[in-house]
Amino acid sequence: MNLIAIDIGNTNIGIGVFLKGKEQFVKSVPGENTAELIEILKSTWKMIPVSENSKEGKRDGVFVASSVKFEWFEKVRDIVRQNFGEKVLQVGVDIPFPIELAIDEKNKVGSDRILAASAAYAVTEHAVVVADFGTAVTIDLVDDRGVFCGGVIFPGFEMSANALHNHTAQLPKVTVTKPKWPFGKNTVDAINAWLYYSAISSLQEIVRRYAETLGAWPQTIITGSGAKLIKDDCEFVDNYVPDLVIKGIALAYSKFIESRE
């Protein structure tokens, strides 16, 4: 299985390369930077081997995407078609999700949430919480049977910082960093401390509530750009796994191929 996995988020687009089912590397680019996106897709497609039976030098690989932003999916689809003559398969449309969903409005839940959760459960094989700290924060639960139960959504660091700045007269825009003190000695540090510690405490409280529902404490995995910042202060978290959605895309395609054999 040779695969270019594309995670189209609200801010960034992640691109992962899998050769014979093994992850080679993952790189993330700002979704607005079309030129860089094209260059990365070109370089990654060159890594896909040419099919042994192809007389025209056709590569033996496929593009598979998860998308929460339709206009960016269209952009990626057009880039792939124009530059490589290939189609982009979309998880949730062309490829089924690799996990059962026990939620309302199944067609409206973000594919990134489902794929991150399915990738986590494929490893743990037990109840697991997946918290993705991106533009928005999602904290989702998969039960012991491997069923996606749903979760919570709240603003990420950047969105929260913008809200404070844009809806007040004097509060500055803050870029979140690890605080030196739990209390801020100035306005910037005070906002920063709230943003940082509220994310950690929200995660811990939500996982506790999930545990009460399950009757046992689930494994907890964090991912996303913001997770790297807080992971060292999350003693209750079992693992930090970058690019979990990319791994979920590969899992979905692998199961799809198996189902057709």
Side-chain angles (χ1 to χ4, degrees):
M1 181 185 79
N2 301 317
L3 168 70
I4 306 295
I6 307 171
D7 172 21
I8 303 171
N10 288 300
T11 304
N12 298 313
I13 296 177
I15 301 169
V17 180
F18 293 80
L19 299 180
K20 294 183 178 179
K22 294 184 178 180
E23 183 180 316
Q24 304 300 306
F25 80 95
V26 178
K27 186 166 185 179
S28 180
V29 299
E32 299 287 355
N33 194 332
T34 302
E36 185 177 1
L37 176 62
I38 291 173
E39 288 306 309
I40 291 176
L41 287 172
K42 284 182 176 180
S43 63
T44 54
W45 187 237
K46 288 179 182 178
M47 296 176 64
I48 303 297
V50 174
S51 175
E52 295 179 358
N53 300 321
S54 174
K55 296 180 180 180
E56 301 175 352
K58 182 177 176 60
R59 298 190 183 276
D60 183 21
V62 62
F63 292 88
V64 181
S66 161
S67 177
V68 300
K69 199 165 187 174
F70 180 71
E71 59 266 33
W72 283 2
F73 174 77
E74 284 190 316
K75 177 168 69 173
V76 169
R77 182 192 61 192
D78 292 344
I79 289 171
V80 170
R81 183 179 64 244
Q82 293 167 10
N83 287 274
F84 317 116
E86 297 286 338
K87 178 182 178 181
V88 180
L89 301 177
Q90 187 174 5
V91 182
V93 178
D94 305 297
I95 297 171
F97 291 118
I99 192 171
E100 182 182 344
L101 307 179
I103 56 174
D104 302 329
E105 300 180 318
K106 296 178 182 179
N107 62 326
K108 293 184 179 180
V109 64
S111 59
D112 54 343
R113 295 171 60 191
I114 299 171
L115 291 170
S118 62
Y121 183 80
V123 174
T124 64
E125 296 185 331
H126 291 287
V128 61
V129 174
V130 178
D132 190 341
F133 288 81
T135 304
V137 178
T138 57
I139 305 175
D140 294 313
L141 174 65
V142 180
D143 68 15
D144 274 317
R145 298 173 298 140
V147 177
F148 182 88
C149 300
V152 304
I153 305 172
F154 57 90
F157 290 133
E158 184 79 8
M159 196 182 303
S160 296
N162 282 334
L164 281 174
H165 175 58
N166 293 334
H167 296 284
T168 60
Q170 298 185 36
L171 293 182
K173 172 68 184 300
V174 172
T175 299
V176 183
T177 59
K178 184 173 182 177
K180 294 181 180 179
W181 305 95
F183 43 85
K185 294 179 179 294
N186 55 64
T187 302
V188 169
D189 288 351
I191 295 172
N192 183 69
W194 170 73
L195 290 167
Y196 184 88
Y197 290 117
S198 66
I200 296 171
S201 61
S202 294
L203 174 59
Q204 188 170 27
E205 174 63 14
I206 291 163
V207 175
R208 184 182 70 81
R209 297 280 180 170
Y210 290 172
E212 290 177 354
T213 302
L214 292 170
W217 194 272
Q219 291 195 49
T220 302
I221 297 174
I222 59 175
T223 190
S225 57
K228 186 176 181 180
L229 175 64
I230 64 172
K231 64 183 179 65
D232 292 338
D233 280 324
C234 295
E235 296 87 356
F236 58 94
V237 167
D238 295 285
N239 286 292
Y240 159 64
V241 182
D243 310 308
L244 197 53
V245 177
I246 291 287
K247 293 173 174 58
I249 294 171
L251 174 67
Y253 183 69
S254 175
K255 288 196 171 186
F256 174 63
I257 294 300
E258 290 175 4
S259 71
R260 300 177 65 186
E261 293 177 350

